[in-house]
Amino acid sequence: MGQRQGAVVRVEVSAVAAGQVDPAFWAGKRVFLTGHTGFKGSWMALWLQQMGAEVTGFALAAPTDPALFDVARVADGMASTIGDIRDAHALEAALVGAEPEIVLHMAAQPLVRASYDDPVGTYATNVMGTVHLLEAVRKASDVRACIVVTTDKCYENREWAWGYREDEAMGGYDPYSNSKGCAELVTSAYRRSFMVDRGIALASGRAGNVIGGGDWATDRLIPDILRSVAAGEAVIIRNPLAIRPWQHVLEPVSGYLVLAQALWKDPAGAAQGWNFGPRDDDARPVQWIVERMCAAWGQSARWIHDDSMQPHEARYLKLDISRARAELGWHPRWNLNQALNSIVSWHRAWLSGVDMHQYCLQELERFAGAGLAVAA
Ligand SMILES: NC(=O)c1ccc[n+]([C@@H]2O[C@H](COP(=O)([O-])OP(=O)(O)OC[C@H]3O[C@@H](n4cnc5c(N)ncnc54)[C@H](O)[C@@H]3O)[C@@H](O)[C@H]2O)c1
């Protein structure tokens, strides 16, 4: 299924070759989205709604308070089911009942440090939850394309300076990263064993550390910075030298949308794993981000290094996005400075009581204005 090493398999679809999200494609499509109450899922749901897709969501309640899901009134434009992907029957009933044509699987326990506290729960959600999702997809009659969202951390991290390519070994040091490597292997096995015969194009998307307005998760850099600077406190940083592939949340979300279009139109070429990382020079150390965020916020924002013993976290992690560029035509739109500025503006808007549903739609248009079409 398009897994030829070293060869370029260009997806011959005009809109996809241009790497653009195509609103005409999405208008009226029935989409089943897990994790719609989360940070990335809420942005995905808003974008799909904006293009006229019929969206059904399945997830636990929003994982934070406040949450983008509530602040941007995401539920208003979709059918939202609160449920647990560890419950195979509930997930199957919701998915089969929604009669989706496209399935996007984003629900997960997504935090490294939480995975040290609850490895069993992390594997149950991220691995068996993915198995349950793919079992339900097998039983639904109309699904043509399915994307399992994993992470850059799914790769066996060699702590080297080069970006990881799609065909490199899965691994993962900590339970979160490893659970996502396992979810990749599950996806690959289901693709070969069941999906090809059923005409379902199954792919996975591996993104970097996403940042953007509306993320209130604990133990994530940008929310931690914003919480501290807004309270007038020093930002406490654990790993200032750790390098991550930072990207605005709409970058991988656009990648998943472009990939789904490709899966629909060229299943044989597109049903594989894809990296959706940032430009190479946006893989920056934590310290670089903190200093720019503090400068953008102003008002004497400052940070200090917490050098107490911390659980292991990878130092170097980069994604090679050559394949998505060459074969899907997808590429990052915003550089890191644009992304950081947009986050500070988003957060200030929220603090000042702006209608954040409208603000998020405008944010989508600002992003689309850089080359992606969004329906009026
Ligand atoms: N945020 C990042 O930097 C990042 C980077 C790479 C990959 N990802 C992946 O993107 C996806 C979305 O991440 P996010 O940042 O939006 O996380 P998030 O915590 O904001 O959202 C997670 C979503 O999954 C749902 N969920 C969790 N456990 C569930 C369960 N047992 N049953 C049903 N729903 C459950 C939550 O309710 C929520 O809707 C995840 O798969 C994550 O691993 C995130």
Side-chain angles (χ1 to χ4, degrees), residues 204-256:
S204 63
R206 305 156 187 172
N209 279 40
V210 295
I211 57 178
D215 189 4
W216 279 280
T218 46
D219 279 334
R220 271 194 198 148
L221 181 63
I222 300 291
D224 285 350
I225 295 173
L226 288 171
R227 262 189 293 269
S228 300
V229 295
E233 295 164 1
V235 185
I236 297 170
I237 297 300
R238 297 189 302 264
N239 296 308
L241 302 181
I243 294 175
R244 297 280 182 275
W246 310 99
Q247 58 188 160
H248 191 270
V249 60
L250 293 177
E251 306 283 8
V253 167
S254 73
Y256 308 143

Coordinates of all heavy atoms in Angstrom, one line a residue, residues 204-256:
S204 N -2.3 6.8 9.3 CA -2.0 7.4 10.6 C -1.3 8.7 10.4 O -0.6 8.9 9.4 CB -1.1 6.5 11.5 OG 0.1 6.3 10.9
G205 N -1.5 9.6 11.3 CA -0.8 11.0 11.2 C 0.0 11.2 12.5 O -0.5 11.0 13.6
R206 N 1.3 11.6 12.2 CA 2.2 11.8 13.3 C 2.6 13.2 13.4 O 3.3 13.7 12.4 CB 3.5 10.9 13.1 CG 3.1 9.4 13.0 CD 4.1 8.6 12.2 NE 3.6 7.3 12.0 CZ 4.2 6.4 11.2 NH1 5.3 6.7 10.6 NH2 3.7 5.2 11.0
A207 N 2.1 14.0 14.4 CA 2.4 15.4 14.4 C 3.4 15.7 15.6 O 3.6 14.8 16.4 CB 1.1 16.2 14.6
G208 N 3.9 16.9 15.6 CA 4.8 17.3 16.6 C 4.0 17.9 17.8 O 2.8 17.8 17.9
N209 N 4.7 18.7 18.6 CA 4.1 19.3 19.8 C 3.2 20.5 19.3 O 3.8 21.4 18.8 CB 5.1 19.9 20.7 CG 5.7 18.8 21.6 OD1 5.9 17.7 21.2 ND2 5.9 19.2 22.9
V210 N 1.9 20.4 19.4 CA 1.1 21.4 18.9 C 0.9 22.5 20.0 O 0.8 22.2 21.2 CB -0.3 20.9 18.4 CG1 -0.1 20.1 17.2 CG2 -1.1 20.3 19.5
I211 N 0.8 23.7 19.5 CA 0.5 24.9 20.3 C -0.5 25.7 19.7 O -0.7 25.6 18.5 CB 1.8 25.7 20.5 CG1 2.4 26.2 19.2 CG2 2.9 24.9 21.3 CD1 3.6 27.1 19.3
G212 N -1.3 26.5 20.5 CA -2.3 27.3 19.9 C -3.2 27.8 21.0 O -3.1 27.4 22.1
G213 N -4.1 28.7 20.6 CA -5.1 29.2 21.6 C -6.0 28.1 22.0 O -6.4 27.3 21.2
G214 N -6.4 28.2 23.3 CA -7.4 27.2 23.8 C -6.9 26.0 24.4 O -7.6 25.0 24.6
D215 N -5.6 25.9 24.7 CA -5.0 24.7 25.3 C -4.8 25.0 26.8 O -4.0 25.9 27.1 CB -3.7 24.3 24.7 CG -3.1 23.0 25.1 OD1 -3.9 22.3 25.9 OD2 -2.0 22.6 24.7
W216 N -5.5 24.3 27.7 CA -5.3 24.5 29.1 C -4.8 23.3 29.8 O -4.9 23.1 31.0 CB -6.6 25.0 29.7 CG -7.0 26.4 29.6 CD1 -6.5 27.4 30.3 CD2 -7.9 27.0 28.6 NE1 -7.0 28.6 29.8 CE2 -7.9 28.4 28.8 CE3 -8.7 26.5 27.6 CZ2 -8.6 29.3 28.1 CZ3 -9.4 27.3 26.8 CH2 -9.4 28.7 27.1
A217 N -4.2 22.4 29.0 CA -3.7 21.1 29.7 C -2.6 21.4 30.7 O -1.9 22.4 30.6 CB -3.2 20.2 28.6
T218 N -2.5 20.5 31.7 CA -1.4 20.6 32.6 C -0.2 20.0 32.0 O -0.3 19.1 31.2 CB -1.8 19.9 34.0 OG1 -2.3 18.6 33.6 CG2 -2.8 20.6 34.8
D219 N 1.0 20.5 32.5 CA 2.2 19.9 32.1 C 2.5 20.1 30.6 O 3.1 19.2 30.0 CB 2.3 18.4 32.4 CG 2.7 18.2 33.9 OD1 3.4 19.1 34.4 OD2 2.3 17.1 34.4
R220 N 2.0 21.2 30.0 CA 2.3 21.5 28.7 C 2.9 22.9 28.7 O 2.4 23.8 29.4 CB 1.1 21.4 27.7 CG 1.0 20.1 27.1 CD 0.0 20.1 25.9 NE -0.5 18.7 25.7 CZ -1.7 18.5 25.2 NH1 -2.5 19.4 24.9 NH2 -2.0 17.2 24.9
L221 N 3.9 23.1 27.9 CA 4.7 24.3 28.0 C 3.9 25.6 27.9 O 3.9 26.5 28.7 CB 5.8 24.3 27.0 CG 6.7 25.5 27.0 CD1 7.5 25.6 28.3 CD2 7.7 25.5 25.9
I222 N 3.1 25.8 26.8 CA 2.4 27.0 26.5 C 1.4 27.3 27.5 O 1.3 28.4 28.1 CB 1.9 27.0 25.1 CG1 3.0 26.9 24.0 CG2 1.1 28.3 24.8 CD1 4.0 28.0 23.9
P223 N 0.5 26.3 27.9 CA -0.5 26.6 28.9 C 0.2 27.0 30.2 O -0.3 27.9 30.9 CB -1.3 25.3 29.0 CG -1.1 24.6 27.8 CD 0.3 25.0 27.2
D224 N 1.3 26.3 30.6 CA 2.0 26.6 31.8 C 2.5 28.0 31.8 O 2.4 28.8 32.8 CB 3.2 25.6 32.0 CG 2.7 24.3 32.5 OD1 1.5 24.1 32.8 OD2 3.6 23.3 32.5
I225 N 3.1 28.4 30.6 CA 3.6 29.8 30.5 C 2.4 30.8 30.7 O 2.5 31.8 31.5 CB 4.3 30.0 29.2 CG1 5.5 29.2 29.0 CG2 4.6 31.5 29.0 CD1 6.2 29.2 27.7
L226 N 1.3 30.6 30.0 CA 0.2 31.6 30.0 C -0.4 31.7 31.4 O -0.7 32.7 31.9 CB -0.8 31.2 29.0 CG -0.4 31.4 27.5 CD1 -1.4 30.8 26.5 CD2 -0.2 32.9 27.2
R227 N -0.5 30.5 32.1 CA -1.1 30.5 33.4 C -0.2 31.4 34.3 O -0.7 32.2 35.1 CB -1.1 29.1 34.0 CG -2.5 28.4 33.9 CD -2.6 27.1 34.6 NE -1.7 26.1 34.0 CZ -2.1 25.2 33.1 NH1 -3.3 25.3 32.7 NH2 -1.3 24.3 32.6
S228 N 1.1 31.2 34.2 CA 2.0 31.9 35.1 C 2.1 33.4 34.8 O 1.9 34.3 35.7 CB 3.4 31.3 35.0 OG 3.4 30.0 35.4
V229 N 2.2 33.8 33.5 CA 2.4 35.2 33.2 C 1.1 36.0 33.5 O 1.1 37.1 33.9 CB 2.9 35.4 31.7 CG1 4.3 34.9 31.5 CG2 1.9 34.9 30.7
A230 N -0.1 35.3 33.2 CA -1.3 36.0 33.4 C -1.5 36.2 34.9 O -2.1 37.2 35.4 CB -2.5 35.2 32.9
A231 N -0.9 35.3 35.8 CA -1.0 35.5 37.2 C 0.1 36.4 37.8 O 0.2 36.6 39.0 CB -1.0 34.1 37.9
G232 N 1.0 36.8 36.9 CA 2.1 37.7 37.3 C 3.2 36.9 38.1 O 4.0 37.4 38.8
E233 N 3.2 35.5 37.8 CA 4.2 34.7 38.5 C 5.3 34.3 37.5 O 5.1 34.3 36.3 CB 3.6 33.4 39.0 CG 2.6 33.7 40.1 CD 1.6 32.5 40.4 OE1 1.8 31.5 39.7 OE2 0.7 32.7 41.2
A234 N 6.5 33.9 38.1 CA 7.6 33.4 37.2 C 7.2 32.1 36.6 O 6.6 31.2 37.3 CB 8.9 33.3 38.0
V235 N 7.5 31.8 35.3 CA 7.3 30.6 34.7 C 8.3 29.6 35.1 O 9.5 29.9 35.1 CB 7.3 30.7 33.2 CG1 6.9 29.4 32.5 CG2 6.5 31.9 32.7
I236 N 7.9 28.4 35.6 CA 8.9 27.4 36.1 C 9.1 26.4 34.9 O 8.2 25.8 34.4 CB 8.4 26.7 37.3 CG1 8.3 27.7 38.4 CG2 9.3 25.5 37.7 CD1 7.6 27.2 39.7
I237 N 10.4 26.3 34.5 CA 10.7 25.4 33.3 C 11.6 24.2 33.8 O 12.6 24.4 34.4 CB 11.5 26.3 32.3 CG1 10.5 27.4 31.8 CG2 12.0 25.5 31.1 CD1 9.3 26.9 31.1
R238 N 11.1 23.0 33.3 CA 11.8 21.8 33.7 C 13.0 21.5 32.8 O 14.1 21.1 33.3 CB 10.9 20.6 33.7 CG 9.7 20.8 34.7 CD 9.0 19.4 34.8 NE 8.5 19.0 33.5 CZ 7.2 19.3 33.0 NH1 6.4 19.9 33.8 NH2 6.8 18.8 31.8
N239 N 12.8 21.6 31.5 CA 13.8 21.1 30.6 C 14.1 22.2 29.5 O 13.7 22.1 28.4 CB 13.4 19.8 29.8 CG 13.2 18.7 30.8 OD1 14.0 18.3 31.5 ND2 12.0 18.1 30.7
P240 N 14.8 23.3 29.9 CA 15.0 24.4 29.0 C 15.7 24.0 27.7 O 15.5 24.7 26.7 CB 15.8 25.4 29.8 CG 16.4 24.7 30.9 CD 15.5 23.5 31.2
L241 N 16.5 23.0 27.7 CA 17.3 22.6 26.5 C 16.6 21.6 25.6 O 17.1 21.3 24.5 CB 18.7 22.1 26.9 CG 19.5 23.2 27.7 CD1 20.9 22.6 28.0 CD2 19.6 24.5 26.9
A242 N 15.5 21.0 26.1 CA 14.8 20.0 25.3 C 14.3 20.6 23.9 O 13.7 21.7 23.9 CB 13.6 19.5 26.0
I243 N 14.6 19.9 22.8 CA 14.2 20.4 21.5 C 12.9 19.7 21.0 O 12.9 18.5 21.1 CB 15.3 20.3 20.5 CG1 16.5 21.2 20.9 CG2 14.9 20.6 19.1 CD1 17.7 21.0 20.1
R244 N 11.9 20.4 20.6 CA 10.7 19.8 20.2 C 10.3 20.4 18.8 O 10.6 21.6 18.6 CB 9.5 20.1 21.2 CG 9.7 19.5 22.5 CD 9.4 18.0 22.5 NE 9.5 17.5 23.9 CZ 10.7 17.0 24.4 NH1 11.8 17.1 23.7 NH2 10.7 16.5 25.6
P245 N 9.6 19.6 18.0 CA 9.0 20.2 16.8 C 7.7 21.0 17.0 O 6.7 20.4 16.9 CB 8.8 19.0 15.9 CG 8.8 17.8 16.8 CD 9.3 18.2 18.2
W246 N 7.8 22.2 17.4 CA 6.7 23.0 17.7 C 5.9 23.4 16.5 O 6.5 23.7 15.4 CB 7.1 24.3 18.4 CG 8.0 24.1 19.6 CD1 9.4 24.3 19.5 CD2 7.7 23.7 20.9 NE1 9.9 24.0 20.8 CE2 8.9 23.6 21.6 CE3 6.5 23.4 21.5 CZ2 8.9 23.2 23.0 CZ3 6.5 23.0 22.8 CH2 7.7 22.9 23.6
Q247 N 4.6 23.4 16.5 CA 3.8 23.8 15.4 C 2.4 24.3 15.9 O 1.9 23.8 16.9 CB 3.6 22.6 14.4 CG 3.0 21.4 15.0 CD 3.0 20.2 14.0 OE1 2.9 19.1 14.5 NE2 3.1 20.4 12.8
H248 N 1.8 25.2 15.1 CA 0.5 25.7 15.5 C -0.5 24.5 15.2 O -0.4 23.7 14.3 CB 0.1 26.9 14.6 CG -1.1 27.5 15.1 ND1 -2.4 27.2 14.7 CD2 -1.3 28.5 16.0 CE1 -3.3 27.9 15.3 NE2 -2.7 28.7 16.1
V249 N -1.5 24.4 16.1 CA -2.4 23.3 16.1 C -3.1 23.2 14.7 O -3.4 22.1 14.3 CB -3.5 23.5 17.2 CG1 -4.3 24.8 17.1 CG2 -4.4 22.3 17.3
L250 N -3.3 24.3 14.0 CA -4.0 24.2 12.7 C -3.2 23.5 11.6 O -3.7 23.1 10.6 CB -4.5 25.6 12.3 CG -5.6 26.1 13.2 CD1 -6.0 27.5 12.7 CD2 -6.9 25.2 13.2
E251 N -1.8 23.5 11.9 CA -1.0 22.8 10.9 C -1.3 21.3 10.8 O -1.6 20.8 9.7 CB 0.5 23.0 11.2 CG 0.9 24.4 11.4 CD 1.1 25.2 10.1 OE1 0.8 24.7 9.1 OE2 1.6 26.4 10.2
P252 N -1.2 20.5 11.9 CA -1.5 19.1 11.7 C -3.0 18.9 11.4 O -3.3 18.0 10.7 CB -1.1 18.5 13.1 CG -1.0 19.6 14.0 CD -0.7 20.8 13.2
V253 N -3.8 19.7 12.0 CA -5.3 19.6 11.6 C -5.5 19.7 10.1 O -6.2 18.9 9.5 CB -6.1 20.6 12.4 CG1 -7.6 20.7 11.9 CG2 -6.1 20.2 13.9
S254 N -4.8 20.7 9.5 CA -4.9 20.8 8.1 C -4.3 19.6 7.4 O -4.8 19.1 6.4 CB -4.3 22.1 7.5 OG -2.9 22.0 7.6
G255 N -3.2 19.1 8.0 CA -2.6 17.8 7.4 C -3.6 16.7 7.4 O -3.7 15.9 6.4
Y256 N -4.3 16.5 8.5 CA -5.2 15.3 8.6 C -6.3 15.5 7.6 O -6.8 14.5 7.0 CB -5.8 15.2 10.0 CG -4.9 15.2 11.1 CD1 -5.1 15.8 12.4 CD2 -3.6 14.5 11.0 CE1 -4.2 15.8 13.4 CE2 -2.7 14.5 12.1 CZ -3.0 15.1 13.3 OH -2.2 15.1 14.3

